[in-house]
């Protein structure tokens, strides 16, 4: 089945086939029914495993160039950075993000195998391939590593095996009739450039300066599917970041001593490649923290290499440790303050709504959560507030429909005129001839584009 093949309508892009994730969700549901604890426990165990794998992977990467006294604390720093980075909040807490957790555990296992020249890494790549489509970047990453180390010829057999290991899911999905994502949208080239630069800026900011623990890390209002209102400063930051990567690449090409740092940094950049919004998809968000789950391993490795390089200098050791300890304490505090919101779906989105009251996507999620918890009048007020703002036509028609659903729960049998008005709206939906929603003296009109 399609990963997003659910019993309720969803705006998610179709064409994702992740059978390992589907199986895990089925098993966890059978274990605990509608309870959330099996999912949370599963995620915590996966996150702990991924953090340990980062520690081992970084230790293997560093030991060829640094002494054991320098490598051990640096590897520990890498594991802690990966474990406590504020972007972990969404990935570890949200059930659907098990796709990123499981994929990353397999990817990091393959990375450890690559360092040890072990062929069992191919099995890990196969597991990653059945977990998430982003697996296509991993052979590219390993080939770049081999090239930067001057080991491309000696690693050719391992790299060939890696390419073979990631192909079965892409063949089998054809056999079971799951096509590739096709619900893409068409936008002007200028919008593509704006979207790419905005995503590049946002992911750099969220990786290097994550000041907030939230599911909506960086706000950019959606104008229409595939188009966002990207602020001008973000366009400049995105262009500067891309220029910086070009210069970093040129420096690594000319300076062999820079190449290990560049190889670490590639683990941050390349896994985000498919998510830099080059191909437009009808997502309501420009970027998301969950996509940073594996790439932060690159940041952790890069930081650990710097710590190992400074370790022999006693005068630098104390300020570096104090700075890292302060950052770790701040990240831990941010996460601990946010975690109680996971007690219920409504509490989670209530917190997000308090952080981003002007964001339509978060407000819609909050209203849906309120309805799901039976608070239909509260959801009604949120939808009405949203409809008072200018909305893109596709958003407005959805919000009017959701508002109508809340009235189907709150109108009483004695309110016969209002019930007839509501019936007129739903009859229009059934006949594919949408009419304005009118309840009493209130009217929520639909533009011709919305209809």
């Amino acid at each position: 089945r399609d990963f997003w093949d659910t019993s309720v309508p969803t705006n998610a892009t179709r064409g994702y086939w992740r059978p390992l994730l589907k199986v895990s969700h089925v098993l966890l549901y059978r274990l605990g029914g509608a309870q959330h604890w099996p999912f949370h426990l599963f995620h915590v165990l996966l996150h702990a495993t991924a953090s340990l794998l980062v520690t081992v992977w970084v230790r293997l990467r560093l030991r060829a160039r640094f002494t054991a006294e320098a490598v051990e604390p640096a590897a520990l720093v890498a594991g802690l950075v990966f474990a406590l980075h504020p972007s972990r909040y969404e990935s570890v807490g949200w059930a659907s993000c098990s796709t990123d957790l499981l994929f990353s555990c397999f990817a990091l296992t393959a990375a450890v195998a690559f360092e040890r020249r072990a062929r069992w890494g191919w099995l890990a790549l196969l597991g990653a391939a059945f977990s998430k489509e982003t697996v296509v970047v991993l052979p590219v990453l390993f080939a770049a590593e081999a090239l930067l180390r001057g080991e491309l010829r000696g690693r050719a057999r391992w790299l060939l095996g890696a390419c073979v290991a990631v192909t079965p899911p892409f063949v089998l999905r054809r056999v079971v009739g799951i096509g590739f994502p096709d619900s893409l949208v068409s936008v002007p080239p200028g919008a593509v450039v704006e979207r790419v630069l905005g995503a590049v800026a946002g992911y750099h900011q969220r990786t290097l300066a994550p000041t907030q623990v939230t599911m909506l890390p960086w706000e950019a209002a959606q104008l229409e599917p595939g188009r966002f209102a990207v602020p001008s400063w973000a366009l400049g930051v995105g262009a500067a970041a891309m220029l910086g990567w070009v210069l970093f690449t040129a420096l690594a090409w000319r300076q062999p001593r820079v190449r290990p740092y560049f190889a670490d940094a590639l683990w941050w950049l390349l896994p985000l490649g498919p998510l830099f919004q080059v191909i437009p998809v009808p997502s309501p968000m420009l970027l998301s923290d969950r996509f940073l789950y594996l790439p932060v391993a690159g940041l952790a490795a890069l930081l650990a290499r710097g710590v190992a390089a400074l370790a022999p200098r006693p005068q630098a050791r104390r300020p570096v440790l104090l700075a890292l300890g302060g950052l770790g304490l701040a990240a831990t505090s941010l996460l601990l303050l946010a975690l109680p919101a996971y007690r219920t779906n409504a509490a989670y989105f209530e917190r997000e709504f308090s952080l981003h009251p002007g964001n339509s996507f978060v407000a819609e999620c909050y209203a849906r959560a309120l309805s799901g918890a039976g608070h239909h009048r509260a959801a009604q007020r949120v939808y009405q507030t949203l409809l008072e703002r200018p909305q893109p036509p596709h958003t407005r028609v959805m919000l009017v429909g959701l508002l109508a659903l809340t009235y189907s729960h709150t109108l009483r049998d004695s309110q016969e005129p209002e019930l007839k008005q509501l019936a007129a709206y739903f009859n229009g939906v059934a006949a594919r001839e949408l009419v304005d929603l009118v309840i009493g003296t209130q009217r929520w009109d639909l533009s011709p584009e919305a209809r």
Side-chain angles (χ1 to χ4, degrees):
R1 292 184 175 237
D2 188 303
F3 181 64
W4 289 108
D5 182 11
T6 63
S7 58
V8 294
T10 173
N11 294 324
T13 302
R14 302 297 178 131
Y16 294 134
W17 189 54
R18 299 165 179 174
L20 278 183
L21 269 298
K22 204 78 169 180
V23 167
S24 72
H25 285 177
V26 169
L27 294 177
L28 290 168
Y29 183 77
R30 289 186 177 180
L31 176 65
Q35 299 180 79
H36 53 71
W37 69 263
F39 293 90
H40 283 312
L41 178 61
F42 183 55
H43 279 211
V44 169
L45 292 175
L46 285 176
H47 182 49
T49 301
S51 302
L52 289 172
L53 284 168
V54 167
T55 306
V56 173
W57 174 62
V58 169
R59 182 188 293 128
L60 292 170
R61 292 172 73 81
L62 297 181
R63 69 181 184 182
R65 291 178 175 268
F66 301 101
T67 63
E69 291 76 11
V71 167
E72 293 303 322
L76 180 61
V77 164
L80 290 173
V81 167
F82 184 87
L84 298 175
H85 196 277
S87 67
R88 315 292 88 171
Y89 176 69
E90 183 184 20
S91 305
V92 182
W94 184 36
S96 293
C97 281
S98 52
T99 188
D100 296 285
L101 296 170
L102 198 58
F103 165 73
S104 297
C105 283
F106 282 121
L108 290 165
T109 301
V112 170
F114 177 81
E115 297 296 333
R116 291 179 170 170
R117 297 175 178 263
R119 294 182 181 180
W120 47 261
W122 299 340
L123 291 175
L125 285 171
L126 184 63
F130 279 109
S131 301
K132 193 175 183 181
E133 297 77 6
T134 312
V135 72
V136 295
V137 306
L138 294 182
V140 179
L141 257 174
F142 291 127
E145 286 264 16
L147 177 64
L148 289 165
R149 297 178 186 184
E151 302 173 355
L152 194 56
R153 181 173 296 180
R155 299 274 193 156
R157 184 174 296 179
W158 199 97
L159 294 171
L160 179 61
C163 293
V164 172
V166 302
T167 55
F170 296 97
V171 176
L172 287 173
R173 67 188 295 149
R174 289 299 189 187
V175 176
V176 298
I178 300 290
F180 292 94
D182 57 0
S183 54
L184 305 178
V185 292
S186 177
V187 295
V192 175
V193 173
E194 288 184 355
R195 191 176 58 244
V196 170
L197 292 178
V200 170
Y203 280 125
H204 276 78
Q205 184 267 319
R206 287 301 296 168
T207 304
L208 302 174
T211 57
Q212 201 175 52
V213 175
T214 172
M215 68 161 283
L216 189 69
W218 198 73
E219 296 187 57
Q222 187 184 44
L223 303 176
E224 59 181 300
R227 289 191 63 201
F228 295 89
V230 181
S232 55
W233 66 264
L235 299 177
V237 170
M242 293 180 73
L243 178 61
W245 277 103
V246 171
L247 295 174
F248 194 9
T249 304
L251 183 62
W253 187 259
R254 295 173 61 90
Q255 298 289 337
R257 60 188 177 86
V258 178
R259 290 174 191 172
Y261 294 91
F262 184 66
D264 294 336
L266 283 181
W267 276 88
W268 182 91
L269 183 69
L270 288 184
L272 281 175
L275 307 163
F276 277 141
Q277 297 275 0
V278 177
I279 299 175
V281 295
S283 169
M285 292 198 295
L286 182 64
L287 60 131
S288 182
D289 266 1
R290 60 186 176 273
F291 300 137
L292 283 171
Y293 190 78
L294 178 61
V296 166
L299 172 69
L302 186 62
L303 186 59
R305 193 174 295 275
V307 171
L310 291 171
R313 306 175 186 177
Q315 69 274 17
R317 193 177 303 163
R318 184 180 177 84
V320 167
L321 291 176
L322 285 173
L324 290 173
L327 290 173
L329 182 62
T332 304
S333 301
L334 285 171
L335 289 167
L336 288 176
L337 289 171
L339 282 178
Y342 274 116
R343 68 185 184 274
T344 65
N345 205 41
Y348 178 80
F349 286 110
E350 181 181 14
R351 178 180 179 275
E352 293 295 328
F353 185 63
S354 69
L355 293 174
H356 314 281
N359 187 276
S360 297
F361 175 71
V362 167
E364 178 204 332
C365 290
Y366 180 44
R368 285 179 184 269
L370 287 170
S371 288
H375 305 306
H376 300 293
R377 293 190 186 280
Q380 219 168 72
R381 290 191 289 272
V382 177
Y383 288 133
Q384 289 171 355
T385 301
L386 287 173
L387 287 167
E388 290 171 1
R389 308 174 191 163
Q391 299 287 357
H394 72 281
T395 303
R396 186 168 185 83
V397 71
M398 178 184 65
L399 292 174
V400 169
L402 292 170
L403 177 61
L405 285 174
T406 64
Y407 275 106
S408 72
H409 290 282
T410 57
L411 290 176
R412 303 189 180 279
D413 290 349
S414 58
Q415 296 176 274
E416 188 173 341
E418 289 82 1
L419 286 169
K420 287 182 177 179
Q421 292 173 320
L422 186 62
Y425 171 81
F426 281 120
N427 288 336
V429 173
R432 296 177 182 267
E433 296 178 1
L434 264 66
V435 298
D436 296 341
L437 175 63
V438 180
I439 303 293
T441 59
Q442 291 184 293
R443 175 184 292 270
W444 293 275
D445 58 320
L446 294 170
S447 65
E449 294 82 4
R451 288 200 181 88

